[in-house]
Amino acid sequence: MAKAARTAISPTRQEDYPQWYQEVIKAADLAEASPVRGCMVIKPWGYALWENMQAALDRMFKETGHENAYFPLFIPMSFLEKEAQHVEGFAKECAVVTHHRLEPGPEGGLVPAGPLEEPLIVRPTSETIIGAMFAKWIESYRDLPLLINQWANVVRWELRTRLFLRTAEFLWQEGHTAHATSEEAMVETRRMLDVYARFAEDYMAMPVIRGEKTAQERFPGAVSTFCIEAMMQDFKALQAGTSHFLGQNFSKAQNIKFQDPQGNEVHAWTTSWGVSTRLVGALIMTHGDDDGLMLPPRLAPKHVVLLPIYRNDEERQSVMEYCRHLKRDLERVVYDGAPVRVLLDERDLRGGEKSWYHVKRGVPIRAEIGPRDVAANAVFFVRRDLLSEKRTMPRDEFLTRLPGLLEAMQQALLDRALALRDQNTRTIDRIEEFREFFTPRNADAPEIHGGFAWCHWSEHPAVEQAMADLKVTIRCIPLEGVGPDGSATPGKCLFTGGPSTGRALFAKAY
Amino acid sequence: MAKAARTAISPTRQEDYPQWYQEVIKAADLAEASPVRGCMVIKPWGYALWENMQAALDRMFKETGHENAYFPLFIPMSFLEKEAQHVEGFAKECAVVTHHRLEPGPEGGLVPAGPLEEPLIVRPTSETIIGAMFAKWIESYRDLPLLINQWANVVRWELRTRLFLRTAEFLWQEGHTAHATSEEAMVETRRMLDVYARFAEDYMAMPVIRGEKTAQERFPGAVSTFCIEAMMQDFKALQAGTSHFLGQNFSKAQNIKFQDPQGNEVHAWTTSWGVSTRLVGALIMTHGDDDGLMLPPRLAPKHVVLLPIYRNDEERQSVMEYCRHLKRDLERVVYDGAPVRVLLDERDLRGGEKSWYHVKRGVPIRAEIGPRDVAANAVFFVRRDLLSEKRTMPRDEFLTRLPGLLEAMQQALLDRALALRDQNTRTIDRIEEFREFFTPRNADAPEIHGGFAWCHWSEHPAVEQAMADLKVTIRCIPLEGVGPDGSATPGKCLFTGGPSTGRALFAKAY
């Protein structure tokens, strides 16, 4: 492999951040565009990462009392129309099924035939179809709470797509719950937001800000929407998960009623919450560097890759034998409650090419095993986030210390992401400073500027207008204790001078 | 609960087998029809069963070198048209997306808008879209074999649907592989058939016949289709999985080519194989009885349910404490490589109602714990397949013997299913006997008759005709060593008297 650039990925993040993102996905072989407009193909390495995310989240959902179920892909058009704001929010991006077969056309080829009486929408989200089932299932307060989750594909017709971040079809989970009281539904909404925050920080090593969306950014049909927001390495915000308190909006539209202990018929209170394959994009942009992907150990499809190095058949034999035994013993080591995942790469490739292959794919620990290591009963290895720190360790010590090495890397990634966010977060009280903060300064890296700004605000339309040319939005109103000290104290709106009850988080966003 | 019938399910299998099937699904709360024509809702208990099937199959796929990936839900109409037989096979049952948004119609309400240039088909299977990607990914013999699996939903527009057995949308896995030679592709085709057979027998406790389909029953576009066929309790056959050798049909239609070691461009040889949520239907009909579902322990969402029995608050406290400790200790017991799955049902329901609830749902072991068991430090329990054998065991013995008890039940279910199949399988050489075998005799149970018949056959159209009025089909030509002794010896076709190379399996089928 001709390696002209000093980094494995070209362009670098500084040179062209959006293009760097695409190149990392390509170099790590995570996904690619498909011949179907807006739809991506998730390749094995990317899918294995998503499977690990799924497994961790699924465990957390089950621990909090939720059960998985599966509901139809199709939603009758009339169902979508039941909640006025909901349909308005999704009508512009619906894939519509109108026919149920193909037949030979008058000019040869096939044409759609068998028109449906009522068009079907490919689910963009499932509140309406799941709500219709909830209305059948719920009769009494004894049936509540009803705590359901679905892992599924959904479709929202997008014209400007980006792999993982915005695609017409994506994979996600959607939780849907019904409760007897407003309070219980709100507790659930906040509980699942906390689950998402915990997953982001403990598994993805991605720090997040928990907060509530302003009215403009609410989920269509929700009473309130909560979110987690993360800072990417271009200092933009990425909304990584949302949890919606739906009040009685959907239960009234869909007749989800129960008899309370006093015998009264009452509408249930519902919630919904979801995260998607967008998290893979968030992970890439949080930890990737100019040499490619960097995987937090807890989610890495492989923790360790073993690369045998030899010059002739004799060396090959002893190195391979050593590697196979090492692999077997490594797989008996437990990390994060499960056996360490090891790849022995036996392919016939040049050593440098092979090393960079795994660097770009983000494997946490790369061990290169040559005759010298075999002779010394040692392991030569490099941590993906410390490429210049080459280390050699006695074999037994490596086996013993591996869980600690992985956990140290997991923690180091979180610390680094936290430091980046802290360095690029400001409390701003002057409009000039705000404008300056969000205006590109470095012509060489026009994409990387700004950050998170905590500012006083009000609901006046002038606020949105003032930010429009900067492409800045209010990401969220922080939950209690989440913003910087004093951010919950009243002040003056940065844009109108009017009264503000506290600071909100401002940023450019994906 | 008024229990008028002597069995928990009414009608019984004898009384009305198809209706019994629906009632078991309802009583076990596995699934139900949705408001979307032909699409079902898989409820938590049914979905947990499917998840356990998925987990076991996924492990087997990975052990045989396959990797998961994800491909688009939509297939451009022109892709489907590339393989002539393939499109002919699926054109009549396609959900067709023609528009990408909704807008207000002239008469109020919404209408489909934004017509697509080319209609999109909701995947009925993914050979064409996955093949398009394989064509991009495969360049050299070094890229082969390419071994991919996808877990996904697919849609085949069905008008006459039955829960799990035939629905417009269903969940499945589809394996897609490409190989350098015909031989390797055939080995893969047969390997995955064997994986399915192993899964059916070892996990579902469902014996299957492995064989090849006749030309009429082949997958559209395949060179040969292999299947596993199981006998249900109404003696009908159910095709439980298929594995297709696609030859070069799809690689030629889609230009999947590679450079061989000599530098020649060659078309790859491909396979595909799949099983679906239909397996849940197969499991219900293999093991269910007139008291409901019966779950093979290896796939049961819960292995043991604990039912506390008490008459007053004082008893309640000691019984509940005993149950909680028992649950904790049971969950430390390992069965089939994982902790035993225990449900402690604390709901405030009458004892009888609660017991039948879990009988109908098929939980392998039901333990009822009352003050007497607490005092004796014992466990009173019943195995789902031996409801009349009530047993009491000292607590410690129960903990020690539980894995054996579960494994014994797993084996008993397989043995019983094997016995049923053996009792209802015949080798038939006279047309009169064939007709009699497949003609309903018992007017009280018109659905339950026939069985598996091993008969000599030929490819003459008269064979299909002769069977048409009996609704019998050739299920498969058995693999070597699978049929009864001597079935591979030539003989005379039962229907035409012409030469036959061996016996095939005849049955009515789902």
Side-chain angles (χ1 to χ4, degrees), chain B residues 51-354:
Chain B
E51 283 181 312
N52 288 345
M53 289 180 165
Q54 282 189 295
L57 284 164
D58 198 69
R59 249 188 338 262
M60 293 169 105
F61 299 157
K62 283 173 179 161
E63 279 164 12
T64 44
H66 302 83
E67 293 185 301
N68 289 334
Y70 189 78
F71 299 84
L73 171 67
F74 299 129
I75 298 179
M77 194 168 67
S78 59
F79 278 50
L80 213 60
E81 290 177 287
K82 280 183 187 166
E83 216 293 336
Q85 289 180 23
H86 188 69
V87 68
E88 205 189 306
F90 289 106
K92 291 190 187 71
E93 48 185 35
C94 282
V96 191
V97 177
T98 55
H99 294 76
H100 67 79
R101 60 170 199 269
L102 297 171
E103 63 181 32
E107 297 161 32
L110 294 171
V111 293
L116 299 178
E117 273 180 40
E118 181 182 1
L120 297 172
I121 310 304
V122 180
R123 63 181 163 220
T125 179
S126 303
E127 277 75 9
T128 56
I129 185 75
I130 293 182
M133 301 313 295
F134 276 21
K136 287 184 64 180
W137 296 346
I138 297 169
E139 292 177 357
S140 144
Y141 68 94
R142 286 190 195 86
D143 300 322
L144 299 175
L146 183 55
L147 308 173
I148 296 289
N149 177 61
Q150 166 171 270
W151 290 98
N153 53 344
V154 286
V155 172
R156 298 178 186 176
W157 207 266
E158 296 275 1
L159 292 178
R160 292 170 48 211
T161 58
R162 283 180 82 178
L163 293 173
F164 292 116
L165 298 177
R166 208 182 309 110
T167 50
E169 181 192 14
F170 56 91
L171 304 182
W172 81 342
Q173 62 67 221
E174 46 182 323
H176 294 271
T177 69
H179 306 264
T181 67
S182 169
E183 291 69 31
E184 283 177 35
M186 185 55 92
V187 166
E188 166 79 5
T189 309
R190 294 281 297 267
R191 179 189 294 125
M192 299 323 286
L193 186 75
D194 289 347
V195 163
Y196 288 157
R198 197 145 47 85
F199 173 75
E201 300 189 347
D202 291 356
Y203 287 88
M204 294 178 67
M206 180 176 80
V208 293
I209 304 280
R210 287 167 301 137
E212 186 177 346
K213 287 286 179 196
T214 60
Q216 284 86 345
E217 303 258 331
R218 251 176 229 145
F219 177 75
V223 172
S224 45
T225 285
F226 296 86
C227 61
I228 51 172
E229 298 278 335
M231 182 186 284
M232 302 295 102
Q233 290 180 78
D234 59 354
F235 313 149
K236 285 205 184 83
L238 186 141
Q239 175 182 301
T242 48
S243 185
H244 314 295
F245 173 70
L246 304 176
Q248 293 179 313
N249 290 354
F250 283 86
S251 67
K252 282 183 177 161
Q254 301 199 276
N255 226 18
I256 307 175
K257 284 196 271 195
F258 68 96
Q259 213 164 42
D260 73 11
Q262 289 74 44
N264 307 309
E265 278 229 315
V266 193
H267 283 105
W269 300 78
T270 66
T271 84
S272 67
W273 28 276
V275 295
S276 72
T277 35
R278 180 169 232 232
L279 290 178
V280 177
L283 187 144
I284 296 165
M285 288 203 290
T286 299
H287 301 302
D289 67 7
D290 296 337
D291 290 321
L293 187 63
M294 196 179 302
L295 290 166
R298 285 201 192 152
L299 294 175
K302 298 292 176 188
H303 295 121
V304 181
V305 58
L306 301 180
L307 305 179
I309 315 272
Y310 47 81
R311 282 164 306 184
N312 53 49
D313 271 4
E314 194 189 333
E315 284 183 8
R316 183 178 194 284
Q317 204 177 340
S318 71
V319 168
M320 287 306 304
E321 197 186 323
Y322 185 86
C323 285
R324 286 197 193 109
H325 285 148
L326 182 58
K327 177 173 193 280
R328 185 200 59 199
D329 290 348
L330 284 167
E331 285 171 342
R332 290 177 184 157
V333 174
V334 170
Y335 169 66
D336 194 32
V340 165
R341 301 184 281 266
V342 185
L343 174 68
L344 170 53
D345 187 348
E346 301 189 31
R347 288 176 305 163
D348 187 16
L349 282 182
R350 274 192 43 232
E353 192 178 344
K354 228 191 222 187

Side-chain angles (χ1 to χ4, degrees), chain A residues 303 333-341:
Chain A
H303 295 120
V333 174
V334 170
Y335 169 66
D336 195 31
V340 165
R341 301 183 280 265

